[in-house]
């Protein structure tokens, strides 16, 4: 298996990582600007839910096939092409805004394209990390990634609000094009290790194994790991509620709390600060000896933070800020150890498929939730949806402690059955 020499991994990984960080900042500025534009222009929860739906569909519907292709293709060039497509989509939308041709459906389309390209990029980067970073540092890298996300949330939300006052939206879109180049350029000069395909090591040539066979092998792999499968299926209820809830956060700030774009920036920055603190704690502490226990504690805390948002009076936006801080703080505690489990237990040549399947299964109910949440929130109030999301997070976290296959997920049972499922696909 091709891996990064331990003496070189930090320089290589963090060079790529730094470019990605700037690119993510540009993408978050665009996301903030577009969502706030739709919030002000339409004032509709249904429109915001639809926008989130378009940004989510590629990962849910096409995600498993994206992961299969990433496992077959050169991951470095996957990232180069994906980042380039994101830049082109932003540039095209900037031109439409410049000439006052931009409509709501244009924004939906660009969100779809950016999401699809981002799905390729995210799977390629996640699956490559275990080949660039020594296994003993994977959890720490996940903590650093979570801290990055938190830091960018702190910067991007208020910065996005300030930029919207200082320049037209096409200027922010142009900035996204520039930051995308910072992600592409390092990849043109740095090699990323490629995994050795298991079926090739068994004497097969790459051409003898089809994309469909690789796709089914990934599904069989997950089925052979009951803890991973059940944990993924268990996220259906959570994703049905919590993703739509936070997709409606801009409208909650504007209509319920009577806030502005700056207030939205404060709320989202609080989540970013919480993520930095939680990621730092995870990096220093490392979590409980069983990573899955740390994940469930984090999920429980996310539920508590969401309930704070649901119960906040309209006159107390500080309570909402506290709630988003708690959600941000608990997010790396929940997600970091779980990703580390996958990266340390799943073979590198299977990781993109597993990550994409997890994303697809976990997010499969989110589009349905978005379609339901918009009309329900318009009639019953956004707080009702936040209450549902918070209760479900708490219930899921507590009940998982009583499901042995989830608590034993770190045994890596899928790892032991990988070759068997590949063999089944060759029959």
């Amino acid at each position: 298996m091709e891996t990064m020499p331990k003496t070189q991994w930090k320089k290589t990984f963090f060079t790529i990582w730094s470019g990605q960080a700037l690119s993510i900042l540009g993408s978050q500025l665009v996301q903030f600007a577009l969502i706030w534009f739709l919030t002000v222009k339409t004032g509709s929860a249904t429109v915001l839910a639809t926008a989130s739906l378009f940004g989510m569909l590629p990962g849910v519907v096409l995600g498993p096939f994206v992961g299969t292709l990433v496992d077959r293709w050169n991951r470095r060039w996957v990232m180069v092409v994906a980042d380039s497509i994101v830049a082109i989509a932003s540039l095209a939308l900037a031109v439409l805004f410049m000439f006052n041709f931009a409509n709501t459906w244009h924004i939906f389309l660009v969100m779809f394209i950016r999401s699809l390209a981002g799905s390729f990029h995210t799977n390629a980067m996640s699956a490559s990390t275990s080949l660039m970073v020594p296994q003993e540092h994977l959890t720490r890298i996940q903590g650093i990634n979570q801290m990055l996300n938190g830091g960018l949330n702190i910067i991007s939300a208020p910065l996005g609000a300030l930029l919207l006052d200082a320049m037209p939206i096409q200027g922010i879109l142009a900035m996204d094009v520039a930051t995308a180049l910072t992600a592409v350029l390092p990849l043109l000069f740095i090699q990323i290790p490629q995994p050795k395909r298991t079926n090739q090591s068994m004497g097969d040539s790459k051409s003898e194994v089809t994309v469909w066979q690789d796709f089914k092998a990934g599904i069989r792999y997950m089925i052979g790991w009951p803890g991973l499968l059940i944990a993924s299926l268990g996220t259906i209820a959570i994703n049905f509620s919590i993703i739509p809830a936070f997709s409606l956060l801009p409208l909650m700030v504007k209509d319920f709390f009577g806030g502005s774009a700056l207030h939205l920036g404060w709320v989202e920055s609080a989540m970013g600060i919480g993520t930095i603190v939680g990621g730092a704690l995870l990096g220093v502490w490392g979590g409980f000896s069983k990573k899955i226990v740390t994940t469930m504690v984090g999920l429980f805390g996310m539920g508590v933070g969401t309930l704070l948002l649901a119960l906040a009076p309209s006159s107390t936006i500080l309570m909402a800020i506290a709630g988003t801080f708690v959600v941000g703080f608990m997010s790396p505690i929940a997600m970091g150890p779980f990703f580390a489990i996958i990266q340390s237990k799943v073979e590198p040549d299977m990781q993109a498929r597993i990550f994409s399947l997890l994303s697809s299964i976990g997010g499969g109910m989110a589009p349905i939730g978005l379609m339901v949440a918009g009309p329900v929130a318009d009639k019953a109030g956004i707080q009702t949806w936040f209450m549902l999301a918070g209760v479900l997070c708490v219930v899921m976290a507590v009940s998982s402690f009583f499901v042995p296959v989830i608590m034993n997920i770190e045994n890596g049972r899928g790892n032991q059955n990988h070759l068997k499922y590949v063999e089944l696909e060759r029959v």
Side-chain angles (χ1 to χ4, degrees):
M1 182 185 302
E2 183 184 357
T3 57
M4 184 68 62
K6 289 192 174 182
T7 57
Q8 301 178 9
W9 78 268
K10 289 184 180 179
K11 179 180 178 181
T12 300
F13 177 79
F14 283 107
T15 297
I16 297 172
W17 183 89
S18 299
Q20 302 300 314
L22 288 174
S23 180
I24 293 171
L25 173 60
S27 294
Q28 289 190 359
L29 291 175
V30 167
Q31 186 73 8
F32 183 93
L34 293 179
I35 291 298
W36 188 251
F37 175 82
L38 292 174
T39 300
V40 173
K41 180 180 179 180
T42 68
S44 169
T46 301
V47 169
L48 291 185
T50 303
S52 296
L53 181 65
F54 271 85
M56 194 176 301
L57 279 176
V60 173
V61 178
L62 303 174
F65 295 98
V66 168
T68 301
L69 293 172
V70 169
D71 277 335
R72 295 172 66 90
W73 293 345
N74 185 291
R75 291 171 180 175
R76 177 167 70 108
W77 287 108
V78 167
M79 288 189 278
V80 169
V81 173
D83 284 334
S84 300
I85 290 175
V86 168
I88 293 171
S90 295
L91 182 61
L93 187 58
V95 172
L96 290 175
F97 271 108
M98 185 181 303
F99 292 100
N100 295 319
F101 291 151
N103 293 316
T104 300
W105 73 267
H106 291 131
I107 296 175
F108 291 165
L109 178 60
V110 167
M111 284 183 167
F112 182 90
I113 294 172
R114 288 170 59 92
S115 176
L116 180 58
S119 181
F120 275 96
H121 176 274
T122 300
N123 280 289
M125 186 64 186
S126 297
S128 298
T129 298
S130 62
L131 294 176
M132 291 189 286
V133 178
Q135 183 171 329
E136 62 268 24
H137 296 298
L138 286 173
T139 301
R140 289 184 173 87
I141 292 299
Q142 287 298 331
I144 291 173
N145 286 336
Q146 296 293 331
M147 289 176 63
L148 168 66
N149 291 333
L152 292 180
N153 284 337
I154 294 173
I155 296 172
S156 63
L159 180 59
L162 291 173
L163 289 175
L164 280 173
D165 289 336
M167 65 175 65
I169 194 170
Q170 56 263 34
I172 299 177
L173 288 162
M175 291 176 61
D176 185 42
V177 176
T179 56
L181 292 177
T182 65
V184 171
L185 290 177
L187 292 170
L188 296 178
F189 302 99
I190 297 177
Q191 293 292 329
I192 293 180
Q194 287 292 113
K196 185 175 181 180
R197 287 172 59 84
T198 305
N199 43 1
Q200 285 181 308
S201 67
M202 296 165 59
D204 292 340
S205 66
K206 185 174 181 178
S207 61
E208 291 175 341
V209 181
T210 66
V211 172
W212 181 246
Q213 287 174 323
D214 272 347
F215 170 71
K216 290 193 293 182
I219 294 178
R220 290 181 181 274
Y221 187 101
M222 180 174 285
I223 292 174
W225 194 342
L228 179 61
L229 178 62
I230 294 175
S232 302
L233 294 174
T235 62
I236 287 177
I238 302 302
N239 282 276
F240 176 83
S241 60
I242 199 166
I243 291 179
F246 283 90
S247 297
L248 300 175
L249 188 58
L251 199 61
M252 184 180 187
V253 170
K254 177 177 177 289
D255 290 348
F256 182 73
F257 292 108
S260 63
L262 186 59
H263 291 102
L264 177 60
W266 291 349
V267 172
E268 294 190 354
S269 292
M271 182 176 293
I273 294 171
T275 303
I276 288 179
V277 176
L281 174 64
L282 181 64
V284 174
W285 168 43
F288 297 106
S289 57
K290 291 186 68 172
K291 295 181 179 66
I292 192 64
V293 173
T294 311
T295 289
M296 293 307 164
V297 170
L299 179 60
F300 180 88
M302 289 176 63
V304 172
T306 305
L307 288 174
L308 286 176
L309 278 162
L311 297 173
S314 61
S315 60
T316 314
I317 195 171
L318 288 178
M319 188 170 173
I321 293 173
T324 55
F325 175 85
V326 173
V327 173
F329 178 82
M330 288 297 181
S331 292
I333 306 299
M335 301 304 299
F338 188 72
F339 282 127
I341 291 172
I342 306 305
Q343 289 177 327
S344 62
K345 297 297 181 180
V346 176
E347 284 86 357
D349 72 311
M350 184 65 71
Q351 284 188 18
R353 274 169 280 183
I354 297 304
F355 276 120
S356 62
L357 283 169
L358 286 171
S359 177
S360 182
I361 293 173
M365 285 300 292
I368 299 176
L370 285 165
M371 288 186 287
V372 175
V376 169
D378 283 336
K379 292 184 178 181
I382 297 175
Q383 296 82 357
T384 302
W385 202 264
F386 273 90
M387 178 68 71
L388 173 64
V391 169
L392 283 176
C393 281
V394 170
V395 170
M396 288 291 297
V398 172
S399 62
S400 294
F401 282 98
F402 300 94
V403 182
V405 291
I406 295 178
M407 290 295 101
N408 295 323
I409 191 175
E410 292 167 68
N411 291 342
R413 292 178 62 186
N415 192 41
Q416 300 169 6
N417 292 321
H418 172 58
L419 294 181
K420 179 176 73 175
Y421 294 126
V422 173
E423 278 287 354
L424 285 172
E425 288 309 314
R426 297 175 63 223
V427 176

